[in-house]
Amino acid sequence: MPGFEFFDQREIDAVADVIGRKMVHRYSFNDCRDGIYRVEEFENAVAEMVGSRFCLAVSSGTAALYVGLKAMGIEPGDRIITSPFTFIATVEAMAECGAVPVFADVDESLNMDPRSVESLIDDRTKAVMPVHMFGSAADMDPIAKICSAHGLKLLEDSCQAMGATYKGRYVGTIGAWGSYSLDPYKLLTVGEGGLVVTDDEELYRTMEYSHDHGHVHDKSIDRGAERKSGLGMNFRMSEIQGAIGLVQVDKMLGAVKALRENKAKVLKSVGDVPGLVRRSFADQDGEIATQLVYILPDGESAKRFQAASAEAGVGCGILSGNTWHYARHWDSLRDWAERSRARGVDAPEYLPEDMAITEGILSRAVVYGIRVTASDESLETMAKAIKAGAAAAL
């Protein structure tokens, strides 16, 4: 899956060009860079690809989430409903703003269950942020309807699913803003980086200024003479990352096509196995096929499946044990909540038992990663391992 799988001479040449011109800052040196701004070109290419009016490149997916939240005015005590199955950066960005994450349940799509959202809304709720997990969109229409009915902002953490679509629209472009991650594990990677996309010009300008110390960017004057919009932080992307991204975005759709073809080969080889059920999809045609997930009848059958698959030569994970992406495991979040409550903030305890519905799904979900560069032989081995797992579990 990772985008570095298909790094080639084009990325090398792009980086060498930036180094050769000695123009590594995305702004600055306007009078001697011959009008070449690689980060800006990368932003424009992404905006064109996903159909968004504006795109801002930042230093990480975490920064993208934080910049988006700050720009829309999230304040201490605000509550944001999100998913307990996500990367911890989702809640870290909220906590850094002083906001309180509130967990909905997931359904068998592994994404936010729209049916669990409305009961969590109170007068402190400001936004709902579904997370498009493992390359597949959350069911956005019912979530958008809930947000509209309650006057809430709809946001998208699309860091796990850049390139996926929902009913013809790229994830990240449906809410007020959407974030993407470009870290080493993502389909499009620049090493470390992130993107925020939006159609709201005022929101975009706020993000643009605040991600660079409040600079109101003006290529006609020296950077030191630019006025300030206010205080900000430094989440800039460098020209080296922008140059890599510009090459990678040109490969993106081809990589998605390859992933879909590889997954289709596995599924064809596995065939129709009675009782073997894949995760559900809000839009199956729009997934980018980075993972293949099966939902087993119960946790014990998932463990039997996992053991038999490993014995057949290909390991798979059980998602309830995923410490990186499941809030049940995050002692650091519970510690933050305890400190917050000591300061008078009404934060949940985030107890494992409060995630029982999500646990009931993730404990019986097994996952395989799909690689862009996988050989037909390795895909056939994966298919045989899946059939061995099913035989042992069902």
Side-chain angles (χ1 to χ4, degrees), residues 190-240:
V190 301
E192 286 289 352
L195 300 163
V196 195
V197 293
T198 184
D199 286 338
D200 185 328
E201 183 169 6
E202 182 178 356
L203 185 61
Y204 166 73
R205 294 300 172 196
T206 303
M207 292 189 292
E208 181 201 5
Y209 302 153
S210 65
H211 100 292
D212 181 29
H213 302 296
H215 275 269
V216 179
H217 303 111
D218 186 343
K219 295 176 184 175
S220 71
I221 60 177
D222 182 77
R223 178 172 167 81
E226 290 175 340
R227 66 183 179 88
K228 292 291 193 76
S229 68
L231 297 177
M233 297 286 281
N234 175 13
F235 296 113
R236 295 186 304 267
M237 178 178 282
S238 80
E239 287 288 273
I240 292 174

Side-chain angles (χ1 to χ4, degrees), residues 23 28 64 80 82 107 148 174 182 193 213 258 267 286 292 303 314 324 330 341 354 366:
M23 291 293 165
S28 296
I80 303 174
T82 191
D107 57 25
S148 178
I174 301 165
L182 311 174
H213 302 296
L267 293 173
L292 174 56
K303 291 175 184 176
V314 181
W324 279 78
W330 298 342
R341 289 192 296 273
D354 294 333
V366 297

Side-chain angles (χ1 to χ4, degrees), residues 40 56 105 110 121 135 137 210 215 222 281:
E40 185 176 328
L56 178 69
D105 298 321
L110 310 181
I121 298 170
S210 65
H215 275 269
D222 182 77
F281 297 93

Side-chain angles (χ1 to χ4, degrees), residues 273 276 296 301-310 312 316 366 368 382-394:
V273 178
L276 186 60
L296 278 299
S301 59
K303 291 175 184 176
R304 294 196 300 273
F305 185 107
Q306 182 185 47
S309 180
C316 64
V366 297
Y368 296 87
M382 180 183 292
K384 290 178 180 177
I386 291 169
K387 286 187 281 189
L394 301 173

Side-chain angles (χ1 to χ4, degrees), residues 53-331:
R53 289 185 66 201
F54 304 102
C55 176
L56 178 69
V58 293
S59 53
S60 68
T62 309
L65 291 161
Y66 176 76
V67 167
L69 290 170
K70 290 294 284 186
M72 63 176 287
I74 291 296
E75 297 178 344
D78 290 346
R79 298 168 81 86
I80 303 174
I81 299 170
T82 191
S83 170
F85 186 53
T86 181
F87 184 57
I88 198 168
T90 309
V91 300
E92 287 174 330
M94 296 175 191
E96 195 64 25
C97 295
V100 178
V102 177
F103 291 134
D105 298 321
V106 304
D107 57 25
E108 292 192 359
S109 72
L110 310 181
N111 293 318
M112 178 184 286
D113 185 346
R115 298 168 298 180
S116 69
V117 172
E118 201 151 18
S119 65
L120 301 173
I121 298 170
D122 62 23
D123 58 2
R124 298 161 295 178
T125 307
K126 293 296 187 292
V128 179
M129 184 190 288
V131 184
H132 306 294
M133 283 299 291
F134 286 3
S136 181
D139 196 359
M140 296 299 289
D141 282 351
I143 298 172
K145 186 176 180 180
I146 292 169
C147 288
S148 178
H150 291 272
L152 304 176
K153 290 290 188 182
L154 174 60
L155 313 175
E156 294 179 82
D157 183 340
S158 309
C159 290
Q160 298 270 339
M162 185 177 183
T165 58
Y166 175 80
K167 299 184 178 180
R169 298 181 64 182
Y170 278 95
V171 297
T173 68
I174 301 165
W177 57 259
S179 62
Y180 303 122
S181 171
L182 311 174
D183 75 20
Y185 301 98
K186 300 301 187 293
L187 187 56
L188 191 161
T189 183
V190 301
E192 286 289 352
L195 300 163
V196 195
V197 293
T198 184
D199 286 338
D200 185 328
E201 183 169 6
E202 182 178 356
L203 185 61
Y204 166 73
R205 294 300 172 196
T206 303
M207 292 189 292
E208 181 201 5
Y209 302 153
S210 65
H211 100 292
D212 181 29
H213 302 296
H215 275 269
V216 179
H217 303 111
D218 186 343
K219 295 176 184 175
S220 71
I221 60 177
D222 182 77
R223 178 172 167 81
E226 290 175 340
R227 66 183 179 88
K228 292 291 193 76
S229 68
L231 297 177
M233 297 286 281
N234 175 13
F235 296 113
R236 295 186 304 267
M237 178 178 282
S238 80
E239 287 288 273
I240 292 174
Q241 294 163 301
I244 295 172
L246 194 57
V247 175
Q248 284 263 296
V249 76
D250 196 43
K251 299 177 178 181
M252 179 85 182
L253 297 182
V256 170
K257 182 174 182 289
L259 282 171
R260 288 172 174 165
E261 289 174 350
N262 287 346
K263 189 170 186 176
K265 290 175 182 177
V266 175
L267 293 173
K268 182 178 180 181
S269 183
V270 171
D272 185 15
V273 178
L276 186 60
V277 178
R278 291 172 59 199
R279 70 184 284 194
S280 62
F281 297 93
D283 184 343
Q284 185 168 335
D285 291 339
E287 71 144 341
I288 56 173
T290 48
Q291 277 89 11
L292 174 56
V293 179
Y294 289 101
I295 309 293
L296 278 299
D298 52 53
E300 289 305 311
S301 59
K303 291 175 184 176
R304 294 196 300 273
F305 185 107
Q306 182 185 47
S309 180
E311 187 174 347
V314 181
C316 64
I318 297 176
L319 290 179
S320 60
N322 187 325
T323 59
W324 279 78
H325 295 101
Y326 183 20
R328 184 184 178 94
H329 300 288
W330 298 342
D331 289 338

